[in-house]
């Protein structure tokens, strides 16, 4: 019939995107990936490093490997160990490739400075420890455009926003979630949050006004966890389960949160689908925990809005997944995404490529993308300012910036003047200790701290020299 001949295959430059694992010698072998039951991705990557949460006796640890350090990982390779219970989530700072945050079952969040060289010993001292949760912290996420703003969410149903540069809590969103929070995501400029919760609601939150601006009850009818992320244009993409335990994906418009713009059934597997989103190509990749495949979809403004592209399949199930930011990709090979798939004992990079015959830079595949410069300072954001990410061109590829140190300037609580009026001593110390004596002790502590810091710097410099020396003799 004539109607049939008019059916045209939808045009899309991403129709033939295909995934390929790297060669065996480009994998990271002999890593004991964490066995904690938690729906986090267990892996975080940036243009310099891959970080993976690992098994560790008595406490919690993750390993950080320079991207180029492929092959078998040495048994003695140093770990980042500071938590007293398992690490549940890690996230690299988008504005400093040497800074990573970790959240743990020990109810703390720690922020770490990772050196460009491989240290000789475990890294045990975080730059700052953020304490405010009363139960385990299972989610952390950096603000996309404001410097040093970090979000954490815990099993106390509390979302906290921190200024890492001062070590202070900026905001606590405490009365919004009635149950366990499954995931939290920022929108593109960091003015809104989307959260999913065990109470089956998806909430859109304005964190600075501390209010829920929109919510959807039961976007998916099933009882298993829901995930939600913002699209670049402000729509919401969710994954969840139907009443019959089929996995579903859906797309929602905040102007009409009642009905989804698109809803698709997938399959009856029971792994939670982790969505990874590339705003530049408008592709969502779905990686199920325990699946051995990655499905990907293009999101457009035309019905049916969510267009299935393809599935990357392999034999081995994935324990977790890392997703490289756009600036870490190889533009000369038309690579549009790179995943770091965790197995039980190794990490396998998977490269997603658009087949093109030309060697020239493909402008249409690589629009300008968020770079490492923050658009705002933490206090500007807190005061109500918003800014879009500062974009960079990938025409000549991206060269990572040299190690920039994270400076934490804590406000000195000793500088606060005591309140006027009669002084009552609450301490168990002798109330008659004179002020000068106390100041003397504090002065001594300060001097000791300076000495320790000087020694640490000297050790670090020596380690650097030793590394250069050993690299030179390889």
């Amino acid at each position: 019939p004539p109607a049939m001949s008019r059916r045209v295959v939808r045009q899309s430059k991403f129709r033939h995107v295909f995934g390929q694992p790297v060669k065996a010698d480009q994998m990271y072998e002999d890593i004991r990936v964490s066995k904690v039951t938690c729906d986090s991705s267990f892996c975080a990557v940036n243009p310099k490093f891959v970080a993976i949460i690992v098994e560790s006796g008595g406490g919690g640890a993750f390993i950080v490997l320079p991207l180029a350090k492929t092959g078998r990982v040495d048994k003695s390779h140093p770990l980042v160990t500071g938590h007293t219970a398992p690490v549940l989530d890690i996230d690299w700072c988008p504005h400093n490739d040497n800074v990573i945050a970790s959240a743990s079952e020990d109810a703390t969040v720690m922020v770490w400075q990772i050196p460009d060289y491989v240290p000789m010993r475990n890294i045990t001292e975080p730059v700052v420890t953020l304490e405010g949760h009363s139960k385990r912290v299972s989610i952390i996420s950096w603000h996309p455009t404001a410097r040093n703003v970090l979000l954490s969410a815990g099993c106390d149903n509390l979302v906290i926003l921190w200024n890492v540069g001062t070590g202070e809590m900026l905001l606590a969103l405490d009365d919004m979630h009635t149950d366990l929070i499954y995931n939290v995501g920022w929108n593109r400029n960091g003015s809104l949050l989307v959260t999913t919760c065990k109470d089956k609601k998806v909430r859109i939150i304005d964190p600075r006004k501390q209010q829920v601006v929109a919510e959807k009850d039961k976007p998916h009818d099933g009882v298993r966890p829901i995930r939600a992320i913002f699209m670049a244009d402000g729509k919401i993409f969710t994954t969840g389960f139907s009443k019959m335990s089929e996995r579903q994906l859906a797309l929602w418009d905040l102007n009409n949160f009642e009905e989804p713009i698109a809803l698709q059934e997938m399959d009856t597997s029971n792994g939670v689908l982790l969505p990874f989103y590339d705003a530049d190509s408008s592709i969502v990749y779905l990686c199920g925990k325990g699946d051995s495949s990655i499905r990907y979809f293009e999101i457009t403004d035309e019905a049916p809005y969510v267009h299935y592209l393809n599935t990357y399949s392999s034999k081995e199930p994935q324990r977790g997944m890392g997703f490289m930011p756009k600036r870490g990709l190889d533009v000369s090979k038309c690579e549009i995404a790179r995943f770091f798939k965790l197995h039980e004992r190794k990490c396998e990079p998977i490269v997603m490529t658009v087949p093109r015959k030309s060697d020239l830079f493909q402008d249409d595949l690589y629009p300008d993308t968020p770079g490492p410069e923050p658009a705002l300072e933490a206090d500007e954001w807190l005061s109500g300012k918003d800014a879009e990410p500062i974009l960079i061109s990938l025409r000549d590829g991206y060269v990572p910036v040299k190690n920039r140190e994270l400076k934490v300037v804590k406000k000195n609580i000793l500088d606060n003047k005591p309140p006027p009026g009669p002084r009552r001593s609450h301490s168990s110390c002798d109330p008659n200790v004179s002020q000068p004596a106390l100041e003397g002790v504090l002065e001594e502590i300060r001097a000791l701290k300076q000495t320790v810091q000087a020694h640490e710097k000297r050790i670090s410099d020596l380690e650097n020299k030793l590394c250069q020396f050993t690299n030179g003799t390889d």
Side-chain angles (χ1 to χ4, degrees), residues 176-411:
M176 300 190 177
H177 300 90
T178 60
D179 209 329
L180 182 69
I181 299 165
Y182 286 140
N183 91 298
V184 182
W186 295 96
N187 67 346
R188 189 168 168 84
N189 68 3
S191 58
L192 293 173
L193 296 170
V194 58
T195 68
T196 61
C197 177
K198 201 172 176 180
D199 64 12
K200 297 202 178 122
K201 286 191 171 131
V202 172
R203 292 171 174 84
I204 310 300
I205 295 169
D206 182 329
R208 289 167 299 192
K209 292 191 176 137
Q210 304 197 15
Q211 66 190 41
V212 176
V213 291
E215 72 179 22
K216 172 69 187 148
D217 197 22
K218 289 197 183 167
H220 301 275
D221 290 329
V223 292
R224 310 221 45 238
I226 295 168
R227 293 260 157 168
I229 52 174
F230 266 106
M231 303 285 99
D233 61 3
K235 291 190 181 77
I236 303 287
F237 182 91
T238 59
T239 63
F241 294 80
S242 71
K243 265 211 170 67
M244 308 301 292
S245 289
E246 286 176 306
R247 294 200 289 194
Q248 295 177 323
L249 59 85
L251 188 66
W252 306 82
D253 187 340
L254 287 189
N255 299 322
N256 176 17
F257 218 171
E258 281 314 295
E259 290 298 315
I261 311 172
L263 176 71
Q264 292 184 23
E265 308 269 316
M266 306 255 297
D267 55 22
T268 52
S269 179
N270 60 4
V272 172
L273 287 166
L274 307 178
F276 295 95
Y277 173 56
D278 170 21
D280 299 344
S281 60
S282 199
I283 295 178
V284 173
Y285 300 85
L286 298 183
C287 307
K289 267 208 146 169
D291 286 12
S292 50
S293 63
I294 302 171
R295 290 186 182 84
Y296 38 108
F297 301 80
E298 188 178 355
I299 314 292
T300 69
D301 290 337
E302 305 147 25
Y305 306 107
V306 179
H307 308 269
Y308 169 75
L309 289 171
N310 212 334
T311 300
Y312 164 82
S313 295
S314 58
K315 293 189 181 70
E316 303 266 324
Q318 52 234 16
R319 299 279 296 274
M321 199 63 90
F323 186 54
M324 178 66 80
K326 213 46 177 278
R327 56 196 174 88
L329 303 180
D330 186 345
V331 296
S332 66
K333 296 201 171 81
C334 294
E335 179 185 17
I336 60 160
R338 192 185 315 154
F339 289 92
F340 286 71
K341 170 178 168 176
L342 301 185
H343 301 245
E344 211 165 304
R345 300 284 313 209
K346 72 173 178 190
C347 171
E348 171 189 41
I350 294 163
V351 174
M352 297 282 179
T353 310
V354 176
R356 291 273 166 103
K357 288 195 172 67
S358 164
D359 290 342
L360 298 174
F361 178 73
Q362 308 289 313
D363 302 72
D364 63 324
L365 296 184
Y366 302 106
D368 288 357
T369 197
E373 279 306 311
L376 291 172
E377 295 300 324
D379 45 3
E380 290 181 298
W381 177 78
L382 188 64
S383 70
K385 263 195 180 163
D386 286 322
E388 293 299 310
I390 295 177
L391 306 180
I392 56 169
S393 165
L394 296 178
R395 180 171 286 278
D396 303 312
Y398 170 75
V399 181
V401 198
K402 275 214 53 82
N403 188 348
R404 284 196 309 229
E405 206 172 334
L406 169 64
K407 293 263 193 292
V408 177
V409 185
K410 295 204 172 169
K411 296 208 166 55

Side-chain angles (χ1 to χ4, degrees), residues 133 139 150-162 169-177 181 183-184 186 193-195 205 207 210:
H133 286 283
I139 298 165
L150 178 67
L151 171 152
S152 62
C155 297
D156 47 10
N157 311 340
L158 176 63
V159 175
I160 299 179
L161 294 163
W162 308 89
M169 192 186 291
L170 293 176
L171 297 162
L173 312 176
D174 50 2
D175 293 333
M176 300 190 177
H177 300 90
I181 299 165
N183 91 298
V184 182
W186 295 96
L193 296 170
V194 58
T195 68
I205 295 169
Q210 304 197 15

